[in-house]
Amino acid sequence: FDDARIAPLAESDGHKFIRLWHEAVEKELARRGRPVGDIREVGERLIEKLRNTPGLFYLAANPLLCAMICAMHHDRGQKLPEGQSELCESLTHMLLHRREREGGLEWQQFPAAYRDLTYPQKRRLAQDLAVVMVLEGLSALSYEFALEAIETSLSGLGRTPADATIVLPSLVERSGMLREPNPGLIDFIHNTFKEFLAGEAFGMSDLGHPSLAVSS
């Protein structure tokens, strides 16, 4: 396969993306014989919210996150989390856990070392990587460095450190939170999540400099 990087959405492209997403939902609801309602107007209202919330549009410039914001807005009765922290937590949960659990995937076919992780455990793994990146002043980690960090985190969770060779690639391939932008490098899909998770860990540490053993 050839790899390609998706560029951030311009404002006009983001609006088009949102309209197309809601049109697709409208067609699917109609196909299932379910009420369509004012689904397209819902999309327009979301666009207006994005116009008035620069921080939210900053996240929506990523196509995957834009689709997830559309889904969240639709599922929550056209309401979005009010604060940046609450929004990041909701998206983190969707990326790391809900998207797979509710996506109709054959969950039992996933490797047990990854399948058996709970949401708090997956969140902890991602948070520990974020802490390492911030402490080291890095925007990305080498795959080897990330693997060592996951081994340490799994040990702290009472899991087998050797499972890191399964868990790390599964998080990259399945979660949507982490990615491999270039061969051998691991980073977050958006720096906002790195800053959110690391900031929370630092805030929970009395010293302000938590190690990988910080409890979440």
Side-chain angles (χ1 to χ4, degrees):
F1 297 95
D2 292 329
D3 291 331
R5 299 188 69 176
I6 300 177
L9 294 168
E11 183 175 3
S12 59
D13 291 331
H15 295 171
K16 181 178 180 180
F17 184 104
I18 292 169
R19 291 186 177 106
L20 289 173
W21 189 94
H22 286 82
E23 286 177 20
V25 171
E26 181 184 60
K27 291 177 182 177
E28 180 62 17
L29 290 174
R31 186 185 70 81
R32 296 184 183 185
R34 295 171 58 183
V36 172
D38 60 344
I39 186 68
R40 298 200 187 201
E41 286 301 315
V42 171
E44 294 303 317
R45 287 193 280 271
L46 176 56
I47 289 173
E48 188 61 28
K49 290 177 183 177
L50 290 178
R51 287 196 180 104
N52 297 324
T53 315
L56 186 58
F57 176 74
Y58 177 65
L59 289 172
N62 178 285
L64 173 60
L65 296 181
C66 189
M68 297 186 76
I69 289 171
C70 287
M72 186 185 301
H73 184 253
H74 182 262
D75 292 344
R76 292 187 174 206
Q78 302 176 50
K79 296 184 183 297
L80 290 172
E82 294 182 1
Q84 183 83 356
S85 178
E86 185 185 353
L87 175 63
C88 286
E89 176 56 35
S90 296
L91 289 172
T92 296
H93 190 255
M94 290 181 74
L95 284 166
L96 288 174
H97 202 65
R98 280 189 58 195
R99 194 164 65 105
E100 286 183 328
R101 295 285 180 170
E102 300 175 6
L105 300 173
E106 293 292 335
W107 189 248
Q108 293 302 316
Q109 294 183 10
F110 289 10
Y114 176 70
R115 182 182 68 228
D116 295 341
L117 290 171
T118 63
Y119 167 64
Q121 289 175 328
K122 287 186 280 190
R123 189 184 189 281
R124 165 71 179 273
L125 296 174
Q127 186 171 53
D128 286 347
L129 288 178
V131 167
V132 170
M133 288 184 184
V134 171
L135 287 176
E136 298 294 331
L138 301 172
S139 59
L141 294 175
S142 70
Y143 194 90
E144 292 76 14
F145 197 171
L147 195 63
E148 291 177 7
I150 293 294
E151 288 174 355
T152 302
S153 299
L154 287 172
S155 178
L157 292 170
R159 305 295 294 267
T160 305
D163 285 345
T165 56
I166 297 173
V167 171
L168 178 58
S170 295
L171 283 171
V172 173
E173 294 168 7
R174 303 300 329 160
S175 76
M177 174 66 73
L178 302 172
R179 62 177 186 168
E180 191 172 7
N182 294 304
L185 288 177
I186 301 295
D187 70 0
F188 281 79
I189 187 175
H190 203 288
N191 276 335
T192 298
F193 295 110
K194 179 184 72 177
E195 295 160 1
F196 164 67
L197 291 170
E200 179 191 70
F202 287 128
M204 294 174 66
S205 168
D206 292 337
L207 299 177
H209 292 284
S211 68
L212 285 175
V214 167
S215 173
S216 59

